[in-house]
Amino acid sequence: MTRSAAKPAQSVGEVIERMREIKARLDPRDGVACFNRMYLEVTELVGERLTDGYFQDEAFIERLDVVFANLYFDAVEAGEAGRPVNAAWKPLFDARSHRKVWPVQFAFAGMNAHINHDLALAVVETCIERRTTPDTPPVHADYLKVNELLAQVEAEVRASFEAQIVKVATEEAEPLKHIVSSFSIARARDAAWATTQTLWHQRNIRPMYDATLAAVTASTALAGEMLVTPVLPPVEQPDGEQPDGE
């Protein structure tokens, strides 16, 4: 994994602070900003549940959340420095200024890159660091608990999108609705867990590990290209309102 020169975040609090900084400095219409808003909301929910008994191993989930977020920050910093971003993230960063791509498309393209590519890497790294395995309870059980929080945020994003799309003629909206409905966070996380298991068992067989990761990266990039396909200009928002994907 390529790391940036910036100091990695060390706590969920630092992760949230960095996401808020990104939100403050980016144009709300920027594709990365659209993803960042959704990711920030999820991370705030995780942070709220870290001390109330929601997770069985709160220390593991907090560390996983931090390792995971740092991979996103690496992509942001690479983009800002003019360096190439990982191929899995490239569709989002390449399309981030395209005004015919809807905020929900950007949000899901970011989730696609972060879940389908980064999540397995983060779980493997966290397990190695904490001397456990993906199969050791309660790693998978707590992983599934995060799914419940993501489902809540995903439902809010889709509801906002649906409220906007009713303003568009039905025939014109069909390609966009097809693109948006093609992505599911739950399915992505199921696939990421399968990738986690594969990478875990290949972690000491570098050629196989690298080949698996290359295939995952390529398939994630392909899905990302589809998700940011420009098919219909977004509905104009009243001044002061955020578009869907917030």
Side-chain angles (χ1 to χ4, degrees):
M1 283 177 281
T2 302
R3 290 295 191 189
S4 68
K7 181 181 178 182
Q10 297 297 321
S11 68
V12 170
E14 287 185 22
V15 167
I16 291 172
E17 181 180 352
R18 289 196 186 186
M19 288 180 184
R20 288 174 177 167
E21 290 172 354
I22 292 169
K23 180 180 179 180
R25 70 174 180 259
L26 292 182
D27 184 326
R29 298 171 299 173
D30 183 287
V32 175
C34 296
F35 165 68
N36 188 80
R37 287 195 295 273
M38 185 177 184
Y39 192 11
L40 172 58
E41 186 173 346
V42 171
T43 306
E44 288 173 337
L45 284 175
V46 171
E48 290 170 3
R49 306 311 294 268
L50 278 173
T51 58
D52 64 2
Y54 183 76
F55 298 109
Q56 296 180 59
D57 188 343
E58 294 169 350
F60 181 91
I61 288 297
E62 175 159 21
R63 184 57 189 160
L64 173 60
D65 192 86
V66 170
V67 172
F68 188 37
N70 279 327
L71 294 173
Y72 162 57
F73 296 145
D74 289 345
V76 172
E77 290 160 12
E80 291 180 343
R83 301 192 306 271
V85 299
N86 184 280
W89 284 98
K90 192 172 185 295
L92 172 62
F93 279 79
D94 284 354
R96 64 190 296 178
S97 300
H98 203 304
R99 294 296 176 250
K100 287 187 69 175
V101 179
W102 283 54
V104 68
Q105 292 178 259
F106 287 131
F108 286 172
M111 282 293 175
N112 167 68
H114 204 31
I115 294 173
N116 284 319
H117 179 268
D118 294 353
L119 184 53
L121 297 176
V123 175
V124 169
E125 181 175 334
T126 305
C127 284
I128 292 172
E129 181 181 308
R130 297 186 63 82
R131 299 177 183 276
T132 187
T133 78
D135 294 322
T136 304
V139 172
H140 190 228
D142 279 343
Y143 179 97
L144 294 176
K145 282 281 191 179
V146 176
N147 289 7
E148 298 172 17
L149 303 180
L150 281 161
Q152 175 182 330
V153 175
E154 182 179 18
E156 293 171 357
V157 170
R158 288 189 186 276
S160 178
F161 166 69
E162 289 165 3
Q164 290 295 317
I165 205 67
V166 297
K167 302 176 183 178
V168 181
T170 302
E171 290 185 4
E172 294 178 347
E174 285 305 313
L176 178 61
K177 288 191 286 186
H178 178 75
I179 289 171
V180 173
S181 66
S182 69
F183 180 74
S184 162
I185 289 177
R187 291 199 302 268
R189 284 180 63 86
D190 286 344
W193 187 257
T195 302
T196 297
Q197 295 279 11
T198 302
L199 292 179
W200 179 257
H201 291 295
Q202 294 177 348
R203 68 192 186 281
N204 296 321
I205 312 172
R206 201 68 200 185
M208 294 181 65
Y209 180 99
D210 290 345
T212 297
L213 184 55
V216 168
T217 302
S219 63
T220 301
L222 182 63
E225 292 285 0
M226 180 274 295
L227 285 166
V228 295
T229 301
V231 295
L232 183 69
V235 176
E236 290 294 326
Q237 298 292 313
D239 289 344
E241 291 187 15
Q242 295 292 349
D244 45 47
E246 183 176 9

